[in-house]
Amino acid sequence: MRRDHSLTWLLIGVAATTALARDIGSAAQTVDYVIVGAGPAGMVLAERLSRDGTNKIVLLEAGPKEFNATLLNTPALFPFITEPLWNFTGQPDENLAGNSVQIPQGRVAGGGTAVNGMAYCRGAASVYDQWASVSGNQGLAWTSILEDFLEVSHYAKTVNGTGDRQQLVNQTVYGHGSVGVEVSRSSSMVGYETLVSQIVEDEMGVPEVDMNDGTGIGIDRGLLSIYAENRTRSYAANVYGPALDDRRNVQVLYNAWVFHIGFEGNRAVNVTYLQQSLNGEDSTLTLRGNEIIVSAGAINSPKLLMLSGVGPRAELERHRIPVVADISEIGSNLHDHALSIMIYNAAPEILTVWQWTKNTTEAVIASEQYASNKSGPLGTGNGFVYAAFRVPDSTFDGLDGSHYTTLPADRPHVLIQVTSIPLLAGINSSAVTAWASIVQPEGVGRIGLQSSDYRDNPVIQTNYYGSDADKAAILWAYKKLRDIMDNSALQTILPEEIYPGANVTTDEDIWKAIQAQTLSYRHPVGTIALGTVLGNDWRLRGLEGIRVVDSSTFPCPTTCHPQSAVYAIANRAAKDILKSDQSSHRSTRYISEIFSWARYNIEAAHSRWT
Ligand SMILES: Cc1cc2nc3c(=O)[nH]c(=O)nc-3n(C[C@H](O)[C@H](O)[C@H](O)COP(=O)(O)OP(=O)(O)OC[C@H]3O[C@@H](n4cnc5c(N)ncnc54)[C@H](O)[C@@H]3O)c2cc1C
Ligand SMILES: *[C@@H]1O[C@H](CO)[C@@H](O)[C@H](O)[C@H]1NC(C)=O
Ligand SMILES: *[C@@H]1O[C@H](CO)[C@@H](O)[C@H](O)[C@H]1NC(C)=O
Ligand SMILES: *[C@@H]1O[C@H](CO)[C@@H](O)[C@H](O)[C@H]1NC(C)=O
Ligand SMILES: *[C@@H]1O[C@H](CO)[C@@H](O)[C@H](O)[C@H]1NC(C)=O
Ligand SMILES: *[C@@H]1O[C@H](CO)[C@@H](O)[C@H](O)[C@H]1NC(C)=O
Ligand SMILES: *[C@@H]1O[C@H](CO)[C@@H](O)[C@H](O)[C@H]1NC(C)=O
Ligand SMILES: *[C@@H]1O[C@H](CO)[C@@H](O)[C@H](O)[C@H]1NC(C)=O
Ligand SMILES: *[C@@H]1O[C@H](CO)[C@@H](O)[C@H](O)[C@H]1NC(C)=O
Ligand SMILES: *[C@@H]1O[C@H](CO)[C@@H](O)[C@H](O)[C@H]1NC(C)=O
Ligand SMILES: *[C@@H]1O[C@H](CO)[C@@H](O)[C@H](O)[C@H]1NC(C)=O
């Protein structure tokens, strides 16, 4: 294969030296790396793999390049983003009394980072050490991957630090990468943050920490992926996109929905995709690649593999998909962070999302503040405060709690978060939401196919709170959070519990309230796990020419929000890939250097799919 590749470039080289002005793409050519999905993983890979100019790269993204710039860039508006999304819904979950959860995912350049809540959190160090140990890739261990965190992100203050709120930031764990991470400004505070932090500190006995320095347990007043200089979203597409646009050896294709990976024997050789166009003239095209890297996210990556014949045999045969490789674990090990909510009415002085959207006076003030100097509620993430802690071992008395009790000591079981977004359908008052999430659950879900038609959404079995210990853990956590929120010090600002409501007091009724209002944090991971189906070189075991790098590769979830870890592992994977593929690429290097002046011509790399 590598020989074919050098040969192709050699032939092109010969053709081009005889007719210098000709497009290099005029001969049938092979791309070095075809990357599927321009989320944080795909974007980081495309940037790093193309950096020295020698590799030809095509990055395919099913969604558009951008969407409504106001919604995309203004941090506080993220709850109002309704598209471009993959509108996934889980199957009715019997653990939730048959309710189904919505699990939308980003479908645009930047993937989830274009639509997410921007919480930037790395969590407990032992998670990364576990990944290193199960995968055999020591680069994933905390002390190594910290380098990658430093390479992709930086911490910045508002100009001169004026107006930033007081918050613990461990300056040693931020580097010089372009993803901006910052604290909120005082003028963006909602009004409950300090008090809630104080109550958690008193009731749980945990200190304020920076959850980006390897610490898992404590109170974090929340850092966000926002550019300090202009208070706009800092995300994969505006961090990495400009470099990709400038490079001649990279082509990013938008509205390009990959639905099949072609194999010759056990080697992946091409991808086929629907190129959607605005005028409705869609075309189906195939692109050959020396290496296909799947970075479509934890739900779409296993779906694409299964559509291409790689997955559990029974699942493939059920849909009459020819089996390329029977890998039973693909799609399994789905971990998400389920969260269960409670809602409080807020006093008028609490600057909730409702206040700056529905209260005309507040709405005018907020937009003036943001327009004049980026102050006020619009420049941040709507009053995020979070804290993580363990469930006492005694919670598991009488049942098997070993999954929880044997987790490393730095690993929290529960993440609580408070936000000023009203997350209960039908609410029409100024409200605050608090939730408890089990971040290291025992129960796992699964992704399957609904049919062999790529346009159908996959089948998502969430299996939230899927073990007795999970149920005990969430019940304990929900009650603990309710105690915190019902603290008398919060009475004046959060006077009334709207959900679950004062009449809900018995464990049985609380469990029903949990089942009725459990949502997805939108943090799916683990469906193509390192150490299980991926080797330490990011390759699918037993197959050649194909790697997977994205959130689906996490063997277990991080203890808080995952975006930071996706950037970091992709950065690590790119370095691993360059190292392992370098020798096979050396022979082609001088040829591509000669022709690096020529804009890589994508059209010629296509052949029609019939
Ligand atoms: C609403 C929401 C809120 C979130 N909030 C936070 C938060 O506050 N903090 C945090 O840390 N994390 C948050 N997350 C999670 C975080 O954004 C994800 O963990 C992260 O984006 C995953 O990165 P990824 O590269 O693995 O996949 P994704 O970001 O999902 O990127 C995959 C990309 O591949 C594209 N794609 C998929 N299938 C195909 C195909 N067949 N062909 C071509 N392209 C394809 C998709 O359109 C997408 O752009 C949130 C996620 C969502 C959706
Ligand atoms: C973009 O979103 C904003 C905020 O919701 C809205 O006011 C505006 O009309 C939208 N713009 C377009 C072009 O749809
Ligand atoms: C998802 O749903 C929203 C409305 O809720 C819609 O605007 C959008 O087009 C849908 N996305 C897809 C890919 O169907
Ligand atoms: C920041 O500090 C510099 C140097 O002290 C000063 O010149 C500048 O005006 C300050 N900027 C703001 C926005 O306060
Ligand atoms: C900051 O983080 C580093 C790296 O994890 C750690 O060694 C150090 O103790 C932390 N500093 C503080 C003050 O917590
Ligand atoms: C905000 O600043 C960053 C960093 O300088 C820049 O990349 C980005 O384009 C700016 N965003 C907007 C919307 O101005
Ligand atoms: C893609 O590769 C497969 C496997 O070799 C092959 O059968 C198929 O024809 C290829 N598609 C195109 C359009 O070249
Ligand atoms: C609307 O905002 C004004 C100005 O801050 C405030 O006085 C008023 O109480 C708010 N209204 C409601 C219903 O909260
Ligand atoms: C920012 O603008 C608001 C509204 O225009 C104003 O009240 C405030 O003083 C300004 N803040 C700074 C730090 O300039
Ligand atoms: C919400 O409440 C306001 C009054 O506070 C009322 O004017 C409005 O119609 C209500 N909206 C809905 C959707 O019920
Ligand atoms: C509590 O009261 C609400 C509103 O009246 C009602 O819908 C709910 O069923 C009650 N729950 C219990 C457990 O009594």
Side-chain angles (χ1 to χ4, degrees):
M1 193 60 201
R2 294 291 176 203
R3 211 160 3 97
D4 285 0
H5 161 70
S6 3
L7 191 63
T8 308
W9 279 100
L10 190 60
L11 290 172
I12 294 162
V14 171
T17 31
T18 56
L20 256 188
R22 228 173 91 188
D23 252 329
I24 57 164
S26 49
Q29 64 173 281
T30 306
V31 178
D32 292 296
Y33 296 101
V34 172
I35 304 170
V36 181
M43 284 269 175
V44 168
L45 288 169
E47 194 281 319
R48 285 214 69 129
L49 295 176
S50 67
R51 202 180 276 183
D52 77 355
T54 60
N55 292 311
K56 300 279 175 290
I57 290 173
V58 177
L59 173 59
L60 299 119
E61 167 54 48
K65 186 166 185 177
E66 55 212 348
F67 61 99
N68 184 324
T70 304
L71 282 176
L72 197 165
N73 287 312
T74 315
L77 295 183
F78 83 86
F80 302 102
I81 298 172
T82 53
E83 59 180 333
L85 297 172
W86 300 90
N87 294 325
F88 296 141
T89 304
Q91 295 296 110
D93 189 329
E94 64 179 34
N95 306 322
L96 306 181
N99 291 311
S100 332
V101 298
Q102 313 248 294
I103 316 179
Q105 299 284 284
R107 184 190 179 133
V108 59
T113 63
V115 302
N116 72 17
M118 295 155 289
Y120 183 92
C121 190
R122 302 169 187 164
S126 72
V127 166
Y128 303 91
D129 293 340
Q130 182 180 335
W131 295 358
S133 111
V134 302
S135 68
N137 182 343
Q138 284 314 309
L140 296 171
W142 171 254
T143 51
S144 308
I145 199 141
L146 184 53
E147 274 171 39
D148 299 277
F149 282 116
L150 298 180
E151 283 172 25
V152 296
S153 64
H154 69 276
Y155 167 73
K157 292 183 170 181
T158 307
V159 182
N160 298 349
T162 44
D164 283 351
R165 76 178 189 188
Q166 289 301 304
Q167 185 168 327
L168 193 151
V169 177
N170 184 337
Q171 302 274 354
T172 68
V173 295
Y174 301 90
H176 298 99
S178 304
V179 178
V181 179
E182 58 117 54
V183 300
S184 295
R185 270 171 124 170
S186 306
S187 64
S188 298
M189 286 169 70
V190 168
Y192 53 67
E193 294 93 330
T194 307
L195 209 44
V196 168
S197 302
Q198 191 57 52
I199 295 167
V200 174
E201 191 167 338
D202 295 346
E203 291 209 7
M204 302 311 303
V206 290
E208 185 179 348
V209 297
D210 180 343
M211 283 188 199
N212 290 321
D213 72 3
T215 306
I217 293 176
I219 301 158
D220 192 316
R221 300 182 64 189
L223 280 93
L224 296 144
S225 46
I226 291 177
Y227 292 117
E229 54 268 54
N230 54 19
R231 302 265 150 191
T232 62
R233 179 187 292 272
S234 178
Y235 74 115
N238 63 13
V239 168
Y240 296 96
L244 300 181
D245 287 345
D246 284 349
R247 287 186 194 154
R248 295 167 173 209
N249 56 329
V250 188
Q251 183 82 38
V252 188
L253 300 181
Y254 300 101
N255 306 303
W257 187 353
V258 177
F259 60 86
H260 191 259
I261 299 169
F263 286 82
E264 277 166 11
N266 58 11
R267 174 174 281 279
V269 296
N270 63 26
V271 301
T272 299
Y273 62 99
L274 180 75
Q275 180 66 64
Q276 292 176 293
S277 73
L278 288 176
N279 66 14
E281 279 178 30
D282 297 349
S283 41
T284 301
L285 300 163
T286 295
L287 184 61
R288 281 183 78 83
N290 275 334
E291 182 84 26
I292 315 292
I293 307 179
V294 179
S295 302
I299 296 175
N300 275 309
S301 285
K303 177 187 169 191
L304 176 59
L305 290 179
M306 286 185 231
L307 286 171
S308 310
V310 177
R313 176 179 294 279
E315 183 70 13
L316 304 179
E317 287 178 346
R318 178 158 48 246
H319 303 295
R320 301 201 170 80
I321 296 169
V323 178
V324 171
D326 172 18
I327 307 180
S328 62
E329 297 92 344
I330 286 178
S332 68
N333 192 50
L334 170 65
H335 282 88
D336 192 4
H337 291 151
L339 60 88
S340 298
I341 63 169
M342 55 197 71
I343 311 271
Y344 295 83
N345 261 334
E349 67 266 29
I350 301 301
L351 197 48
T352 59
V353 171
W354 187 92
Q355 286 289 357
W356 56 259
T357 52
K358 297 285 166 56
N359 181 334
T360 327
T361 317
E362 291 295 350
V364 169
I365 296 170
S367 62
E368 275 173 3
Q369 286 175 313
Y370 193 66
S372 63
N373 53 31
K374 306 293 177 192
S375 63
L378 295 181
T380 196
N382 305 313
F384 279 3
V385 176
Y386 40 89
F389 38 78
R390 290 191 58 117
V391 171
D393 288 0
S394 58
T395 308
F396 307 107
D397 284 353
L399 49 98
D400 180 4
S402 57
H403 167 83
Y404 286 90
T405 56
T406 62
L407 281 171
D410 71 338
R411 217 73 75 90
H413 302 138
V414 179
L415 182 69
I416 61 167
Q417 185 165 328
V418 183
T419 160
S420 67
I421 305 165
L423 278 177
L424 194 65
I427 279 199
N428 186 21
S429 60
S430 181
V432 164
T433 305
W435 67 69
S437 177
I438 299 301
V439 284
Q440 298 288 292
E442 181 174 27
V444 294
R446 166 180 287 280
I447 306 285
L449 293 178
Q450 202 178 121
S451 79
S452 61
D453 185 336
Y454 71 98
R455 292 164 299 190
D456 286 341
N457 281 344
V459 173
I460 305 171
Q461 310 278 0
T462 44
N463 193 29
Y464 287 163
Y465 311 138
S467 75
D468 289 346
D470 286 347
K471 292 182 176 76
I474 185 59
L475 185 63
W476 180 88
Y478 191 87
K479 291 198 295 191
K480 180 54 75 180
L481 176 58
R482 207 169 171 212
D483 284 350
I484 290 167
M485 299 305 293
D486 286 346
N487 189 290
S488 57
L490 284 169
Q491 274 301 307
T492 50
I493 57 175
L494 302 177
E496 186 199 2
E497 181 186 287
I498 315 177
Y499 190 85
N503 60 347
V504 176
T505 53
T506 64
D507 278 5
E508 198 189 335
D509 287 343
I510 294 171
W511 172 239
K512 283 186 187 145
I514 290 171
Q515 289 179 306
Q517 290 300 332
T518 290
L519 314 175
S520 169
Y521 230 130
R522 288 100 201 251
H523 296 171
V525 301
T527 49
I528 310 176
L530 282 158
T532 312
V533 282
L534 291 181
N536 63 5
D537 54 0
W538 307 90
R539 288 186 193 280
L540 279 164
R541 288 198 170 133
L543 294 173
E544 290 176 68
I546 183 163
R547 289 180 164 106
V548 181
V549 179
D550 62 13
S551 49
S552 63
T553 69
F554 293 14
C556 69
T558 55
T559 58
C560 51
H561 319 68
Q563 65 167 347
S564 63
V566 178
Y567 284 111
I569 63 155
N571 192 65
R572 173 62 53 173
K575 291 187 287 189
D576 291 347
I577 291 169
L578 285 172
K579 210 182 288 171
S580 103
D581 292 0
Q582 204 163 36
S583 49
S584 40
H585 281 241
R586 201 160 289 146
S587 56
T588 69
R589 182 151 304 155
Y590 90 99
I591 295 169
S592 27
E593 273 164 8
I594 293 173
F595 299 108
S596 61
W597 54 269
R599 177 75 201 177
Y600 177 64
N601 180 350
I602 188 66
E603 288 308 322
H606 290 138
S607 45
R608 289 262 154 193
W609 170 269
T610 44

